[in-house]
Amino acid sequence: MGESFHEQLRIDSRFLKSDRRLDTELVDKLILQLNRIYPQILTDKEASKFRDLDVPTCIRLAELLNHLQEKGEEACREFYSALHLHVEDVYFSLPTRLRLRESGEPVVPITSPKDRYVMNDHSPFFFLSCFSLAVGAALLYYYGESKQVSGSSSAMGLAAMGLSRKVRDVLIWYTEDGK
């Protein structure tokens, strides 16, 4: 991928300005995405200017594209990311994307913010094992404390209401045995 996002936007802007799939609603989604997620790229004042419904959509889009090109490489990259997120069919029909597909060069995926900040890449089994450990610790806490305080045995009896039959029988047996 030899071209920068800035250069790609310069090439694709003629196509984007003429594409009828980018209606008022989609252009507003793109503007809001850039404004809310990346306020350093598109400030509130600029966003309200580009969202003015008195101005035709094609003119607002042309002004937005010129503004993003003036902002630089990062702004152009985030515009492509927002376009990919909200209007995939337009994104994949852009002249630069078609040229990349025809040339056989691998298209570098644009990472979304969700992909960049993965908090937990463990499997569901890991979650279940941690949850089971926490439940076991809670049961041990209640089990060890119930011989000292008589009020916790009634809490064990109430906790048994939502459990399966075998577990309920054990908990009720325990609460009756403690008395």
Side-chain angles (χ1 to χ4, degrees), residues 77-115:
R77 183 173 64 81
E78 296 307 336
F79 173 76
Y80 276 109
S81 178
L83 189 66
H84 185 254
L85 180 68
H86 293 291
V87 200
E88 263 189 32
D89 56 332
V90 173
Y91 176 79
F92 286 115
S93 62
L94 291 171
T96 55
R97 300 288 164 226
L98 292 175
R99 187 168 8 116
L100 284 174
R101 242 185 288 156
E102 290 170 1
S103 70
E105 289 182 37
V107 178
V108 177
I110 298 174
T111 58
S112 68
K114 294 176 186 171
D115 293 340

Short mmCIF file of all heavy atoms in Angstrom, two decimals, residues 77-115:
data_model
loop_
_atom_site.label_atom_id
_atom_site.label_comp_id
_atom_site.label_asym_id
_atom_site.label_seq_id
_atom_site.Cartn_x
_atom_site.Cartn_y
_atom_site.Cartn_z
N ARG A 77 -7.15 9.12 7.63
CA ARG A 77 -7.23 7.71 8.05
C ARG A 77 -8.48 7.47 8.87
O ARG A 77 -9.18 6.48 8.69
CB ARG A 77 -5.99 7.34 8.86
CG ARG A 77 -5.98 5.86 9.27
CD ARG A 77 -4.68 5.45 9.93
NE ARG A 77 -4.41 6.10 11.18
CZ ARG A 77 -4.95 5.74 12.35
NH1 ARG A 77 -5.78 4.74 12.41
NH2 ARG A 77 -4.64 6.39 13.45
N GLU A 78 -8.81 8.38 9.77
CA GLU A 78 -10.01 8.21 10.59
C GLU A 78 -11.28 8.36 9.77
O GLU A 78 -12.30 7.74 10.07
CB GLU A 78 -10.00 9.19 11.76
CG GLU A 78 -8.86 8.97 12.74
CD GLU A 78 -8.74 7.55 13.25
OE1 GLU A 78 -9.74 6.80 13.26
OE2 GLU A 78 -7.62 7.16 13.65
N PHE A 79 -11.24 9.17 8.72
CA PHE A 79 -12.41 9.26 7.82
C PHE A 79 -12.63 7.92 7.13
O PHE A 79 -13.77 7.44 7.05
CB PHE A 79 -12.20 10.36 6.78
CG PHE A 79 -13.29 10.37 5.74
CD1 PHE A 79 -14.54 10.89 6.03
CD2 PHE A 79 -13.07 9.84 4.47
CE1 PHE A 79 -15.55 10.88 5.08
CE2 PHE A 79 -14.07 9.83 3.53
CZ PHE A 79 -15.31 10.36 3.83
N TYR A 80 -11.57 7.30 6.66
CA TYR A 80 -11.70 5.98 6.03
C TYR A 80 -12.21 4.95 7.04
O TYR A 80 -13.01 4.09 6.69
CB TYR A 80 -10.38 5.53 5.42
CG TYR A 80 -10.14 6.07 4.04
CD1 TYR A 80 -9.18 7.04 3.81
CD2 TYR A 80 -10.88 5.62 2.97
CE1 TYR A 80 -8.96 7.54 2.55
CE2 TYR A 80 -10.68 6.11 1.69
CZ TYR A 80 -9.71 7.08 1.49
OH TYR A 80 -9.51 7.58 0.23
N SER A 81 -11.76 5.05 8.26
CA SER A 81 -12.23 4.13 9.30
C SER A 81 -13.73 4.31 9.54
O SER A 81 -14.48 3.34 9.64
CB SER A 81 -11.45 4.38 10.58
OG SER A 81 -11.91 3.55 11.60
N ALA A 82 -14.19 5.56 9.63
CA ALA A 82 -15.61 5.84 9.83
C ALA A 82 -16.42 5.41 8.62
O ALA A 82 -17.53 4.86 8.76
CB ALA A 82 -15.82 7.33 10.09
N LEU A 83 -15.89 5.62 7.43
CA LEU A 83 -16.58 5.21 6.21
C LEU A 83 -16.71 3.69 6.16
O LEU A 83 -17.76 3.15 5.82
CB LEU A 83 -15.81 5.72 4.99
CG LEU A 83 -16.49 5.58 3.63
CD1 LEU A 83 -17.73 6.45 3.58
CD2 LEU A 83 -15.53 5.96 2.51
N HIS A 84 -15.66 3.00 6.53
CA HIS A 84 -15.69 1.53 6.57
C HIS A 84 -16.69 1.03 7.59
O HIS A 84 -17.39 0.05 7.37
CB HIS A 84 -14.29 1.01 6.88
CG HIS A 84 -14.18 -0.47 6.83
ND1 HIS A 84 -14.08 -1.24 7.97
CD2 HIS A 84 -14.18 -1.34 5.79
CE1 HIS A 84 -14.01 -2.51 7.64
NE2 HIS A 84 -14.07 -2.60 6.32
N LEU A 85 -16.80 1.72 8.71
CA LEU A 85 -17.71 1.32 9.78
C LEU A 85 -19.17 1.54 9.41
O LEU A 85 -20.01 0.68 9.64
CB LEU A 85 -17.38 2.10 11.05
CG LEU A 85 -18.21 1.81 12.28
CD1 LEU A 85 -17.92 0.41 12.78
CD2 LEU A 85 -17.92 2.83 13.35
N HIS A 86 -19.49 2.68 8.81
CA HIS A 86 -20.88 3.04 8.57
C HIS A 86 -21.40 2.71 7.17
O HIS A 86 -22.59 2.45 7.01
CB HIS A 86 -21.09 4.54 8.83
CG HIS A 86 -20.91 4.91 10.27
ND1 HIS A 86 -21.77 4.54 11.25
CD2 HIS A 86 -19.93 5.61 10.89
CE1 HIS A 86 -21.37 4.99 12.41
NE2 HIS A 86 -20.23 5.64 12.23
N VAL A 87 -20.54 2.75 6.16
CA VAL A 87 -20.99 2.55 4.79
C VAL A 87 -20.01 1.61 4.08
O VAL A 87 -19.24 2.04 3.22
CB VAL A 87 -21.08 3.89 4.03
CG1 VAL A 87 -21.99 3.77 2.82
CG2 VAL A 87 -21.53 5.02 4.91
N GLU A 88 -20.06 0.34 4.41
CA GLU A 88 -19.10 -0.62 3.86
C GLU A 88 -19.17 -0.73 2.35
O GLU A 88 -18.13 -0.83 1.69
CB GLU A 88 -19.33 -2.00 4.47
CG GLU A 88 -18.44 -2.29 5.62
CD GLU A 88 -18.54 -3.74 6.06
OE1 GLU A 88 -18.79 -4.63 5.24
OE2 GLU A 88 -18.35 -3.96 7.27
N ASP A 89 -20.37 -0.73 1.78
CA ASP A 89 -20.48 -0.90 0.33
C ASP A 89 -19.82 0.25 -0.42
O ASP A 89 -19.19 0.04 -1.45
CB ASP A 89 -21.94 -1.09 -0.09
CG ASP A 89 -22.83 0.05 0.35
OD1 ASP A 89 -22.53 0.68 1.37
OD2 ASP A 89 -23.85 0.31 -0.34
N VAL A 90 -19.93 1.47 0.10
CA VAL A 90 -19.24 2.61 -0.53
C VAL A 90 -17.74 2.48 -0.33
O VAL A 90 -16.95 2.71 -1.25
CB VAL A 90 -19.76 3.95 0.04
CG1 VAL A 90 -18.95 5.11 -0.47
CG2 VAL A 90 -21.23 4.14 -0.30
N TYR A 91 -17.33 2.07 0.85
CA TYR A 91 -15.91 1.94 1.16
C TYR A 91 -15.24 0.95 0.20
O TYR A 91 -14.17 1.23 -0.33
CB TYR A 91 -15.74 1.47 2.61
CG TYR A 91 -14.31 1.20 3.00
CD1 TYR A 91 -13.45 2.23 3.33
CD2 TYR A 91 -13.82 -0.10 3.04
CE1 TYR A 91 -12.14 1.98 3.70
CE2 TYR A 91 -12.51 -0.35 3.41
CZ TYR A 91 -11.68 0.68 3.73
OH TYR A 91 -10.38 0.43 4.08
N PHE A 92 -15.87 -0.20 -0.03
CA PHE A 92 -15.25 -1.20 -0.88
C PHE A 92 -15.39 -0.89 -2.38
O PHE A 92 -14.77 -1.55 -3.20
CB PHE A 92 -15.80 -2.59 -0.57
CG PHE A 92 -15.28 -3.14 0.72
CD1 PHE A 92 -16.13 -3.38 1.78
CD2 PHE A 92 -13.93 -3.39 0.90
CE1 PHE A 92 -15.65 -3.87 2.99
CE2 PHE A 92 -13.43 -3.88 2.09
CZ PHE A 92 -14.31 -4.12 3.14
N SER A 93 -16.21 0.10 -2.73
CA SER A 93 -16.31 0.48 -4.13
C SER A 93 -15.50 1.74 -4.46
O SER A 93 -15.59 2.25 -5.58
CB SER A 93 -17.78 0.68 -4.51
OG SER A 93 -18.35 1.72 -3.76
N LEU A 94 -14.72 2.22 -3.52
CA LEU A 94 -13.84 3.38 -3.78
C LEU A 94 -12.80 3.01 -4.83
O LEU A 94 -12.31 1.87 -4.87
CB LEU A 94 -13.14 3.82 -2.49
CG LEU A 94 -14.02 4.44 -1.42
CD1 LEU A 94 -13.23 4.62 -0.13
CD2 LEU A 94 -14.58 5.76 -1.88
N PRO A 95 -12.42 3.95 -5.68
CA PRO A 95 -11.42 3.66 -6.72
C PRO A 95 -10.10 3.12 -6.16
O PRO A 95 -9.51 2.20 -6.74
CB PRO A 95 -11.22 5.01 -7.41
CG PRO A 95 -12.47 5.77 -7.15
CD PRO A 95 -12.98 5.30 -5.83
N THR A 96 -9.64 3.66 -5.05
CA THR A 96 -8.37 3.17 -4.51
C THR A 96 -8.51 1.75 -3.98
O THR A 96 -7.58 0.95 -4.09
CB THR A 96 -7.86 4.10 -3.39
OG1 THR A 96 -8.88 4.24 -2.39
CG2 THR A 96 -7.48 5.45 -3.92
N ARG A 97 -9.66 1.41 -3.40
CA ARG A 97 -9.87 0.04 -2.91
C ARG A 97 -10.00 -0.93 -4.08
O ARG A 97 -9.48 -2.04 -4.01
CB ARG A 97 -11.14 -0.05 -2.04
CG ARG A 97 -11.09 0.82 -0.84
CD ARG A 97 -10.12 0.28 0.19
NE ARG A 97 -9.82 1.33 1.14
CZ ARG A 97 -8.62 1.64 1.58
NH1 ARG A 97 -7.59 0.97 1.19
NH2 ARG A 97 -8.44 2.62 2.42
N LEU A 98 -10.68 -0.53 -5.12
CA LEU A 98 -10.80 -1.40 -6.31
C LEU A 98 -9.44 -1.64 -6.94
O LEU A 98 -9.12 -2.75 -7.35
CB LEU A 98 -11.77 -0.78 -7.32
CG LEU A 98 -13.24 -0.72 -6.89
CD1 LEU A 98 -14.05 0.03 -7.93
CD2 LEU A 98 -13.79 -2.12 -6.67
N ARG A 99 -8.64 -0.59 -7.01
CA ARG A 99 -7.30 -0.72 -7.60
C ARG A 99 -6.42 -1.65 -6.77
O ARG A 99 -5.68 -2.47 -7.29
CB ARG A 99 -6.65 0.66 -7.72
CG ARG A 99 -5.35 0.63 -8.48
CD ARG A 99 -4.81 1.99 -8.88
NE ARG A 99 -5.50 3.12 -8.33
CZ ARG A 99 -4.96 4.00 -7.49
NH1 ARG A 99 -3.71 3.87 -7.11
NH2 ARG A 99 -5.64 5.03 -7.05
N LEU A 100 -6.53 -1.54 -5.44
CA LEU A 100 -5.76 -2.42 -4.57
C LEU A 100 -6.19 -3.88 -4.73
O LEU A 100 -5.37 -4.78 -4.72
CB LEU A 100 -5.90 -2.00 -3.12
CG LEU A 100 -5.12 -0.77 -2.68
CD1 LEU A 100 -5.48 -0.38 -1.26
CD2 LEU A 100 -3.63 -1.02 -2.80
N ARG A 101 -7.49 -4.09 -4.87
CA ARG A 101 -7.99 -5.45 -5.05
C ARG A 101 -7.56 -6.04 -6.38
O ARG A 101 -7.20 -7.21 -6.47
CB ARG A 101 -9.52 -5.47 -4.96
CG ARG A 101 -9.99 -6.30 -3.79
CD ARG A 101 -11.47 -6.43 -3.74
NE ARG A 101 -12.05 -5.16 -3.34
CZ ARG A 101 -13.29 -4.78 -3.61
NH1 ARG A 101 -14.08 -5.57 -4.27
NH2 ARG A 101 -13.74 -3.62 -3.22
N GLU A 102 -7.58 -5.22 -7.42
CA GLU A 102 -7.18 -5.71 -8.75
C GLU A 102 -5.68 -5.95 -8.83
O GLU A 102 -5.23 -6.85 -9.54
CB GLU A 102 -7.61 -4.70 -9.82
CG GLU A 102 -9.12 -4.64 -10.01
CD GLU A 102 -9.54 -3.48 -10.88
OE1 GLU A 102 -8.66 -2.72 -11.35
OE2 GLU A 102 -10.75 -3.34 -11.09
N SER A 103 -4.90 -5.15 -8.12
CA SER A 103 -3.44 -5.31 -8.19
C SER A 103 -2.95 -6.50 -7.40
O SER A 103 -1.83 -6.94 -7.56
CB SER A 103 -2.75 -4.04 -7.70
OG SER A 103 -2.93 -3.89 -6.31
N GLY A 104 -3.80 -7.01 -6.53
CA GLY A 104 -3.42 -8.18 -5.74
C GLY A 104 -2.66 -7.85 -4.48
O GLY A 104 -2.26 -8.74 -3.74
N GLU A 105 -2.43 -6.57 -4.21
CA GLU A 105 -1.75 -6.19 -2.99
C GLU A 105 -2.69 -6.45 -1.81
O GLU A 105 -3.89 -6.23 -1.91
CB GLU A 105 -1.40 -4.70 -2.99
CG GLU A 105 -0.31 -4.33 -3.94
CD GLU A 105 0.01 -2.85 -3.84
OE1 GLU A 105 -0.02 -2.30 -2.72
OE2 GLU A 105 0.29 -2.24 -4.87
N PRO A 106 -2.16 -6.92 -0.71
CA PRO A 106 -3.03 -7.12 0.46
C PRO A 106 -3.51 -5.79 0.99
O PRO A 106 -2.74 -4.85 1.14
CB PRO A 106 -2.13 -7.83 1.46
CG PRO A 106 -0.75 -7.48 1.06
CD PRO A 106 -0.77 -7.27 -0.45
N VAL A 107 -4.79 -5.71 1.24
CA VAL A 107 -5.37 -4.50 1.79
C VAL A 107 -5.18 -4.53 3.30
O VAL A 107 -5.58 -5.47 3.97
CB VAL A 107 -6.88 -4.41 1.45
CG1 VAL A 107 -7.49 -3.18 2.07
CG2 VAL A 107 -7.08 -4.43 -0.04
N VAL A 108 -4.51 -3.52 3.81
CA VAL A 108 -4.25 -3.45 5.24
C VAL A 108 -5.54 -3.03 5.92
O VAL A 108 -6.08 -1.96 5.60
CB VAL A 108 -3.13 -2.44 5.55
CG1 VAL A 108 -2.91 -2.32 7.04
CG2 VAL A 108 -1.86 -2.85 4.83
N PRO A 109 -6.07 -3.84 6.82
CA PRO A 109 -7.33 -3.46 7.47
C PRO A 109 -7.12 -2.28 8.39
O PRO A 109 -6.08 -2.14 9.03
CB PRO A 109 -7.72 -4.71 8.25
CG PRO A 109 -6.45 -5.42 8.48
CD PRO A 109 -5.56 -5.11 7.29
N ILE A 110 -8.12 -1.43 8.43
CA ILE A 110 -8.08 -0.29 9.33
C ILE A 110 -8.56 -0.78 10.68
O ILE A 110 -9.66 -1.31 10.80
CB ILE A 110 -8.98 0.84 8.80
CG1 ILE A 110 -8.46 1.33 7.45
CG2 ILE A 110 -9.05 1.97 9.80
CD1 ILE A 110 -9.36 2.35 6.79
N THR A 111 -7.74 -0.61 11.68
CA THR A 111 -8.12 -1.10 13.00
C THR A 111 -9.12 -0.16 13.63
O THR A 111 -8.95 1.06 13.59
CB THR A 111 -6.89 -1.23 13.91
OG1 THR A 111 -6.28 0.05 14.02
CG2 THR A 111 -5.92 -2.25 13.37
N SER A 112 -10.16 -0.72 14.16
CA SER A 112 -11.15 0.09 14.85
C SER A 112 -10.68 0.30 16.28
O SER A 112 -9.84 -0.44 16.79
CB SER A 112 -12.51 -0.61 14.82
OG SER A 112 -12.46 -1.77 15.61
N PRO A 113 -11.23 1.27 16.97
CA PRO A 113 -10.84 1.48 18.37
C PRO A 113 -11.10 0.25 19.23
O PRO A 113 -10.38 -0.01 20.18
CB PRO A 113 -11.73 2.64 18.82
CG PRO A 113 -12.11 3.34 17.58
CD PRO A 113 -12.12 2.30 16.49
N LYS A 114 -12.11 -0.53 18.90
CA LYS A 114 -12.39 -1.74 19.67
C LYS A 114 -11.26 -2.74 19.52
O LYS A 114 -10.92 -3.45 20.44
CB LYS A 114 -13.71 -2.37 19.20
CG LYS A 114 -14.91 -1.51 19.51
CD LYS A 114 -16.15 -2.13 18.96
CE LYS A 114 -17.32 -1.20 19.13
NZ LYS A 114 -18.50 -1.63 18.45
N ASP A 115 -10.69 -2.83 18.30
CA ASP A 115 -9.60 -3.77 18.07
C ASP A 115 -8.31 -3.34 18.77
O ASP A 115 -7.50 -4.16 19.16
CB ASP A 115 -9.33 -3.93 16.57
CG ASP A 115 -10.48 -4.59 15.85
OD1 ASP A 115 -11.29 -5.26 16.53
OD2 ASP A 115 -10.56 -4.45 14.62
#
